C-alpha cells in the first residue's frame, strides 16, 4: 500500500531523535532531550512506548512487520497501522471521548502517537486486582450502540458506507487471523493451539463435537459475510482501559465490516471469562462471589445499555437506506418501526451469543489466551476454572437462538461457575 | 472512475465509422462499409445494436449517461459498463458457455461488443409465445450453483474475494436502484410506482401491511449486508436468452456482492409470474394449464439442479476459508460436512423465497413491470392475474421460513393460480 523502504522499528533510544522534530509532540511533551521512553507493549502484535516529557506524556504505537506473539516467522503487513488509524478516527467520531485522542499518524513508519491514558488500567488487570469499575458496563454499552449503529446502513449515507466497506476489505490479513484463530483452530488439532494440562479430554471432545463445529462454521460465515457495520474487531477486555470514572477503547487494528454481534459477543465473553477466573484471584470465596457478581452485572448493564441506546438511535438517527422510516413512521406506523428494531436486536443478540461461545473456546484452546486464566499458577485450579468456562461457551454457541435474555445468560454463567 | 470527455453515444450511422477500425470486429463481421446496424434496445438502461456484416454478426451494448426507462432526468453513471464487463468476465469463467462471448470492451465509451446470440430469444418472449425450453431449468440451476458457489468464501481465495467485494462495492449507484425499487417503493406511495387500474385496493393494502413491510425491511438488510458472493444482481427472465438447447445469461450491470438467495429468488419469481400470466397468452385453458405446468416444472428443476450442483461443488471444490473441511472431512466426519451444507442450503432457500416475494411485489406495484403482464390488453384480466401473483408473493415473503420445498412453493402457486 505504501512505500515502506524508509520503515525502521523504533526503540527507546532512537525515538526522541526520530520524533523530536514534530511540533505536535513537542507541544505535549516539552523538549525532546528531556523525553523518557519505555517500551511497554504486552500485546501480541506491536511496539508500544510511553514517552514522558516535562510537559506531559504520550503513547507511541508502532506496528512490527511480524506478529510479536509468534516472532519473525509470522510476517505481517504494516498496513494494519493504517487501518487502525482509519478505524480509531471513525470510532472516535461515532462515540466521542471513548477512544484515545490521536496526535500524529505516520503511515510510512506504521506509527501512531496518541494520548497517554493515565491513570487508566487495562480492564483485564482491574478484574484480576478486584477493582470495581462501576461505569464500565454503561460506557461499553453506549460505545457499542453508537459505533455499531453509526457505521451501518441504518445510519450512514450508503455510498460512504460502501466506500468504507471497500476500504476495510483491504485489511484482509488481520481478518484472516480472526477467521482462522477464532473460528477454526479451537475445533481441530492446529499447530498453534495450546491449552492448560488437564484439558486434553475436553479439547478432544471439542474437536469431535459435530454440533459445536457446525455452530463454528455458521458463526464464521456470519463473520465473513455479514457486513453490517465497522467493527472494532478485537474488543476483548485487553483492548479496554479504564478508571472508575472513565473507559477507553484502544487497539483497533482488526477493524473490518462485519456483524454487530461480533464486538458485543467478544466483549461479553471476556466479562464472563473474567467471572469464571475470579476464584483464583480473590483471597476468599465471598470476595470471589462478590466480584463475580460485579462482572456479571457489568455484562447485564452493557447489554441493557446497548439495547436502550441502540433503540434511541433507531428512533432518532435512522437516516440510512435500511432505515425504513419511509415504510413505518412516514405512514404513521410507529409500532412497525419498533417491531423492526426488535427483529434486529434479536438477531444481534443471537449472533453475540454465538460469537461469545467462539471467543471463549479460542481463548482457552487456541493460540491467544487471557491473563485472568494464564496467571493462575495452580495448574489444576486453572484447568478446573477453564473447563467450566468452556462448558458455558459451548452451551452459548449451541443454544444461541434459545437463550432469551442477558439475565438468562448470566444465570447460566452463575450456575456453571458453581459447578464442582 | 474514467475520463469520459471522449464519450459519445453511438447511433446506427456512426457505429461503423467509430468501430470499423477494430480488428476483432472486422474479423467477425467483414469490412465495415458492409455493416448493417439496427438499434434493438428494449431494456431500461442502455443502447443495444445488432451489427451484421458479410462474415457474421455481433451485439454492441453501450451505456447511456441516464436511465433510458425514465429519461435524461435520471442521470446514471457510465461506470456500470465497467462493472458489467468485470462481472460477465467472472460469471463466464465460473460457468463457461452460459454467458455471451465478450469481444471488445471500451471503458471510455462504456461500450461492450459481444457475441450475437442467435437464434436465441429472450426467455420472457418464449414464455409469452408458449415455446417450451426443456433445458432452461437445468441450465439456470447449474449456472446459479456454479456462479454463486465459485464467487464465495466457500470457494475463492479469500484475498481475491475481498478484493472483488471492494471492487463491486463501487457499483453503488445500481445497487441503490435495487435497494429503492425492489425493497421500498412497492410498500409506500412512491412517485415512480404504477400499477394496473383495479389494483388500488391491494396496492393500498400492501402499503398498510406491517408484517409484509417488516419482511421487506429484513430482506433489504439481507441484500445490503449479506455479502456472500458475486451476484448477477438482476437475474429476471429478460436477462436470459434461450433456445430449446441453449441458455445464456446477459445484462450483468447490477452485479454486486450479496446473498446467494437473491439471484435464485428473482429467477424463480419471474418463472412463477410467467405462470400466473399464462391464462392471457394461450388460446385455451388447457394450453394455459400445460404451459403453466412447464413453467412450474422449470422452477422445480432449477432449484433441484441448483441443490445437486451446489452439493457437488461443496464436496469437490470447497477450498475457501468458509469450507470447514478442516473441521469435518479432515477429521473423518463426512456427515458433518453434509450437515453444514444442509444448513447453508436452507438459508439460501429461505432467502430466495423472501426475495421472490419482493420481486413479485415490485414488478406489479413498482416502476419496472414485466412483459408477460404488461402486454395483456384486457385490463380487467391483467389486474385479476396480477392480483393472484401478488397474493402468492406476499405469502412467500411472510412464510419464507415455513415453506419446506420447491414442491410446496409450486403447489402454493398452482393453488393461487386457480383462484377466481
Amino acid at each position: 500500500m505504501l512505500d515502506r523502504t524508509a520503515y525502521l522499528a523504533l526503540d527507546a533510544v532512537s525515538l526522541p531523535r526520530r520524533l523530536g522534530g514534530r511540533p505536535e509532540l513537542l507541544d505535549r511533551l516539552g523538549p525532546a532531550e528531556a523525553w523518557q521512553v519505555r517500551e511497554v507493549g504486552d500485546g501480541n502484535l506491536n511496539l508500544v512506548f510511553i514517552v514522558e516529557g516535562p510537559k506531559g506524556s504520550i503513547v507511541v504505537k508502532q506496528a512490527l512487520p511480524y506478529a510479536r506473539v509468534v516472532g519473525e516467522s509470522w510476517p505481517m503487513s504494516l498496513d494494519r497501522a493504517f487501518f487502525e488509524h482509519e478505524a480509531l478516527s471513525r470510532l472516535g467520531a461515532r462515540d466521542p471521548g471513548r477512544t484515545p485522542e490521536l496526535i500524529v499518524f505516520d503511515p510510512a513508519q506504521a506509527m501512531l502517537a496518541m494520548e497517554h491514558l493515565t491513570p487508566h488500567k487495562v480492564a483485564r488487570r482491574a478484574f484480576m486486582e478486584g477493582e470495581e469499575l462501576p461505569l464500565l458496563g454503561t460506557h461499553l454499552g453506549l460505545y457499542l450502540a453508537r459505533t455499531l449503529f453509526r457505521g451501518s446502513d441504518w445510519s450512514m449515507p450508503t455510498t460512504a458506507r460502501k466506500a468504507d466497506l471497500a476500504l476495510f476489505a483491504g485489511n484482509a490479513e488481520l481478518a484472516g487471523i480472526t477467521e482462522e484463530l477464532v473460528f477454526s483452530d479451537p475445533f481441530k488439532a492446529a499447530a498453534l493451539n495450546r491449552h492448560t494440562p488437564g484439558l486434553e479430554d475436553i479439547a478432544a471432545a471439542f474437536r469431535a463435537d459435530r454440533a459445536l463445529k457446525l455452530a463454528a462454521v455458521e458463526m464464521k460465515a456470519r463473520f465473513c459475510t455479514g457486513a453490517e457495520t465497522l467493527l472494532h474487531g478485537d474488543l476483548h477486555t485487553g483492548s479496554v482501559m479504564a478508571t472508575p470514572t472513565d473507559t477507553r477503547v484502544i487497539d483497533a487494528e482488526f477493524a473490518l465490516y462485519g456483524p454487530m454481534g461480533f464486538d458485543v459477543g467478544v466483549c461479553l465473553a471476556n466479562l464472563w471469562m473474567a467471572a469464571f477466573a475470579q476464584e483464583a484471584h480473590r483471597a476468599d470465596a465471598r470476595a470471589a462471589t462478590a466480584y463475580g457478581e460485579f462482572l456479571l452485572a457489568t455484562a447485564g448493564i452493557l447489554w441493557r445499555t446497548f439495547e436502550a441506546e441502540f433503540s434511541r438511535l433507531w428512533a432518532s438517527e435512522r437516516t440510512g437506506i435500511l432505515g425504513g422510516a419511509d415504510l413505518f413512521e412516514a405512514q404513521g406506523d410507529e409500532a412497525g418501526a419498533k417491531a423492526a428494531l426488535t427483529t434486529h436486536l434479536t438477531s444481534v443478540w443471537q449472533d453475540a451469543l454465538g460469537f461469545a461461545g467462539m471467543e471463549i473456546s479460542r481463548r482457552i484452546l487456541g493460540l491467544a489466551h487471557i491473563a485472568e486464566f494464564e496467571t493462575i499458577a495452580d495448574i489444576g485450579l486453572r484447568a478446573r476454572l477453564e473447563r467450566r468456562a468452556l462448558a458455558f461457551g459451548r452451551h452459548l454457541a449451541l443454544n444461541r437462538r434459545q437463550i432469551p435474555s442477558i439475565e438468562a445468560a448470566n444465570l447460566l454463567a452463575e450456575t456453571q461457575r458453581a459447578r464442582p
Side-chain angles (χ1 to χ4, degrees), chain A:
Chain A
M1 184 175 279
L2 278 162
D3 173 22
R4 287 278 170 47
T5 49
Y7 173 84
L8 199 63
L10 290 160
D11 59 41
V13 175
S14 66
L15 190 146
R17 177 169 42 80
R18 290 177 57 197
L19 302 184
R22 297 192 179 251
E24 309 92 320
L25 302 186
L26 295 173
D27 279 356
R28 297 256 176 168
L29 296 170
E33 309 84 73
W35 292 2
Q36 301 288 323
V37 184
R38 42 198 173 107
E39 211 280 304
V40 297
D42 61 352
N44 296 328
L45 302 178
N46 306 290
L47 295 171
V48 182
F49 302 90
I50 291 174
V51 186
E52 295 174 298
K55 291 170 67 180
S57 60
I58 62 163
V59 161
V60 172
K61 178 172 176 178
Q62 187 182 37
L64 287 166
Y66 53 86
R68 190 173 186 172
V69 65
V70 173
E72 300 195 20
S73 65
W74 187 343
M76 190 171 291
S77 166
L78 295 168
D79 292 340
R80 66 188 191 273
F82 166 81
F83 290 111
E84 169 160 34
H85 178 255
E86 293 287 319
L88 278 178
S89 306
R90 285 163 177 74
L91 298 172
R94 286 169 194 161
D95 187 22
R98 207 51 70 210
T99 50
E101 184 191 345
L102 307 180
I103 304 167
V104 170
F105 176 58
D106 182 337
Q109 293 297 329
M111 185 280 294
L112 179 60
M114 59 194 138
E115 179 183 6
H116 176 209
L117 298 170
T118 178
H120 297 65
K121 166 180 296 189
V122 173
R124 242 184 235 312
R125 178 168 304 278
F127 299 163
M128 292 190 286
E129 295 172 358
E131 183 187 333
E132 297 217 357
L133 300 167
L135 294 179
L136 182 69
T138 304
H139 287 161
L140 289 176
L142 291 173
Y143 165 86
L144 286 163
R146 291 169 184 169
T147 58
L148 301 181
F149 183 83
R150 289 177 173 150
S152 79
D153 257 340
W154 278 271
S155 160
M156 278 178 86
T158 184
T159 43
R161 192 199 79 100
K162 288 187 171 91
D164 271 9
L165 174 73
L167 177 75
F168 287 98
N171 201 12
E173 189 176 30
L174 269 72
I177 295 175
T178 304
E179 289 153 8
E180 188 60 35
L181 294 191
V182 177
F183 298 101
S184 293
D185 281 3
F187 310 104
K188 67 182 187 189
L192 294 173
N193 281 351
R194 57 199 182 81
H195 60 71
T196 304
L199 294 184
E200 291 71 20
D201 59 341
I202 195 165
F206 268 45
R207 291 197 296 273
D209 190 330
R210 184 188 293 161
L212 182 59
K213 290 189 287 183
L214 288 170
V217 166
E218 247 189 281
M219 295 319 299
K220 188 174 186 177
R222 267 306 279 153
F223 180 77
C224 293
T225 71
E228 286 183 347
T229 193
L230 181 66
L231 300 177
H232 177 282
D234 192 28
L235 194 58
H236 60 86
T237 43
S239 298
V240 175
M241 300 195 68
T243 70
T245 57
D246 189 33
T247 308
R248 305 293 188 100
V249 171
I250 62 171
D251 285 354
E253 60 259 78
F254 281 85
L256 79 176
Y257 264 77
M260 297 186 178
F262 186 76
D263 274 1
V264 178
V266 168
C267 203
L268 288 174
N270 280 274
L271 292 170
W272 283 320
M273 283 190 284
F276 279 96
Q278 271 306 305
E279 194 177 320
H281 294 287
R282 300 281 73 76
D284 60 79
R286 183 179 302 187
T289 302
Y291 197 81
E293 279 166 7
F294 155 73
L295 287 166
L296 297 189
T298 299
I301 293 167
L302 182 156
W303 174 259
R304 290 299 172 202
T305 304
F306 170 79
E307 218 175 30
E309 179 70 0
F310 198 94
S311 303
R312 188 184 73 77
L313 297 171
W314 187 270
S316 58
E317 292 187 16
R318 212 162 86 257
T319 52
I321 55 159
L322 287 183
D326 50 348
L327 303 192
F328 297 115
E329 287 93 332
Q331 300 183 33
D333 186 8
E334 308 283 337
K338 289 210 174 104
L341 168 64
T342 301
T343 302
H344 180 68
L345 284 174
T346 302
S347 136
V348 175
W349 170 247
Q350 293 177 355
D351 279 354
L353 292 176
F355 290 125
M358 298 298 117
E359 173 73 1
I360 292 172
S361 304
R362 74 104 167 192
R363 290 292 188 177
I364 299 175
L365 300 177
L367 168 67
H369 290 218
I370 64 170
E372 292 93 320
F373 287 132
E374 287 300 275
T375 55
I376 302 175
D378 176 344
I379 300 294
L381 176 60
R382 191 203 300 174
R384 199 155 67 246
L385 300 179
E386 288 182 329
R387 183 183 293 276
R388 291 179 193 161
L390 281 174
F392 173 67
R394 177 179 181 277
H395 186 91
L396 294 183
L398 293 185
N399 299 283
R400 61 194 185 279
R401 298 198 182 89
Q402 279 78 46
I403 298 171
S405 65
I406 185 71
E407 291 75 22
N410 274 340
L411 190 62
L412 285 166
E414 197 69 72
T415 311
Q416 192 62 43
R417 280 217 303 144
R419 289 267 155 85

